[in-house]
Amino acid sequence: PALCPGEWRAAEDEALTEAVAFQLGGGFTTAVSWPHVSARLGDRGFPRATSQCRERWTKSLDPRLRKGRWSSTEERRLFLAVRTHGPGCFAEVARHVPGRDGHACYEKWTNVLAPHLNRGEWSHEEDQALAKLVEAHGLGKWGAVARGLASSQAAQAAQAAQAAQGEGGSSLKELVRTDDMCKRRWAKLRKTEVERHKKLTRGTRRALPPKLNRRLRAAKISRDDFFEPNSEEEECDGQGDGGGVEGGGGGDGGDGVG
């Protein structure tokens, strides 16, 4: 039978949990035979691949998984494990941090614990560079934005290192901002502007379809290019036309920073 597409349903999660429990005899201390688990789900009318069953269990349903805030003990374990295995082997690293999978360890290390991260206050020059990069790459391309910011900072660090060496000093260590840091900083910088825009457009414009709105934003076209000023809209409302802008709703809620 064809594999079940899309997200897992509650009935499938229940069947997977029962299949794993059957494999382990009610405990969670030995290895699981995922081909047998996949076959058991297929027998119950939920055909899922072996890899799908393993990923769903190990990343979502395993009761040993820990989620939420990391403890100081977990952070120390992660730091020592990365020093032992390197920052490219998070499947091995996760073995030293019970309850956290490789993806969780990667995210925690990359965005929080890595020693090369710049956790200091954002400078005015960084804010300006961030604005230029967002304009160049667009909202949502935070990986490209972070790489561009790192490149510009690397060039500045190289110049500063040359100047320091010329004066008998030592080279400076380069610190970087992650894509998550760039996203959060942009949201903070643009919060006032975004809220003001939402307040001005709420109830005064006919809401456009979300897909069209995304295309307009990509092309840097404003909704003002499609609608007349408010005064003329009000005149249209007074004519009793049921298809006018009256009851236009709350405006577009998707004008956030992405």
Side-chain angles (χ1 to χ4, degrees):
L3 296 178
C4 293
E7 297 183 357
W8 286 69
R9 294 167 293 178
E12 291 179 288
D13 285 342
E14 182 179 354
L16 177 60
T17 301
E18 292 177 359
V20 173
F22 178 82
Q23 277 282 308
L24 302 177
F28 301 100
T29 57
T30 60
V32 178
S33 175
W34 294 110
H36 286 86
V37 170
S38 176
R40 193 172 180 86
L41 260 68
D43 292 341
R44 296 189 56 176
F46 304 123
R48 290 281 187 175
T50 300
S51 59
Q52 289 179 306
C53 295
R54 182 176 60 250
E55 289 290 310
R56 181 62 175 174
W57 177 259
T58 58
K59 295 188 176 181
S60 299
L61 299 182
D62 191 335
R64 296 170 297 179
L65 285 176
R66 287 177 54 85
K67 298 182 180 181
R69 185 181 296 276
W70 285 59
S71 68
S72 58
T73 300
E74 288 179 307
E75 291 183 349
R76 285 196 298 270
R77 283 178 172 272
L78 176 59
F79 188 84
L80 293 174
V82 171
R83 290 187 61 181
T84 301
H85 297 285
C89 303
F90 285 97
E92 290 296 323
V93 167
R95 297 178 184 272
H96 299 272
V97 190
R100 304 288 185 175
D101 61 12
H103 179 72
C105 292
Y106 167 80
E107 289 291 330
K108 183 66 174 180
W109 177 262
T110 303
N111 293 312
V112 180
L113 296 182
H116 64 277
L117 297 181
N118 185 353
R119 302 180 183 85
E121 295 291 332
W122 285 69
S123 65
H124 179 65
E125 291 74 15
E126 284 183 300
D127 287 341
Q128 288 183 323
L130 178 64
K132 292 180 181 179
L133 288 166
V134 172
E135 183 178 358
H137 296 286
L139 291 175
K141 306 295 183 179
W142 300 113
V145 170
R147 289 190 294 270
L149 188 61
S151 298
S152 64
Q153 291 177 334
Q156 295 175 2
Q159 293 177 356
Q162 290 180 354
Q165 289 175 350
E167 298 174 359
S170 59
S171 60
L172 299 177
K173 184 178 181 180
E174 177 190 348
L175 299 177
V176 300
R177 306 282 189 181
T178 67
D179 51 352
D180 188 62
M181 289 178 177
C182 293
K183 178 181 179 180
R184 291 176 181 274
R185 181 60 178 176
W186 182 256
K188 184 176 181 180
L189 290 175
R190 292 295 179 265
K191 181 178 180 180
T192 303
E193 177 182 330
V194 170
E195 292 299 326
R196 178 176 178 273
H197 175 72
K198 288 183 178 180
K199 187 176 296 185
L200 288 175
T201 57
R202 187 175 294 121
T204 62
R205 295 287 192 274
R206 186 187 297 115
L208 297 176
K211 184 178 293 186
L212 177 57
N213 256 321
R214 289 194 294 270
R215 292 177 179 175
L216 295 182
R217 289 199 300 271
K220 298 183 179 180
I221 300 176
S222 168
R223 288 189 293 180
D224 292 332
D225 296 325
F226 294 88
F227 297 103
E228 298 296 328
N230 291 342
S231 60
E232 295 188 13
E233 290 182 6
E234 294 173 357
E235 293 177 5
C236 293
D237 290 344
Q239 294 176 4
D241 183 6
V245 297
E246 185 176 3
D252 176 28
D255 286 341
V257 295

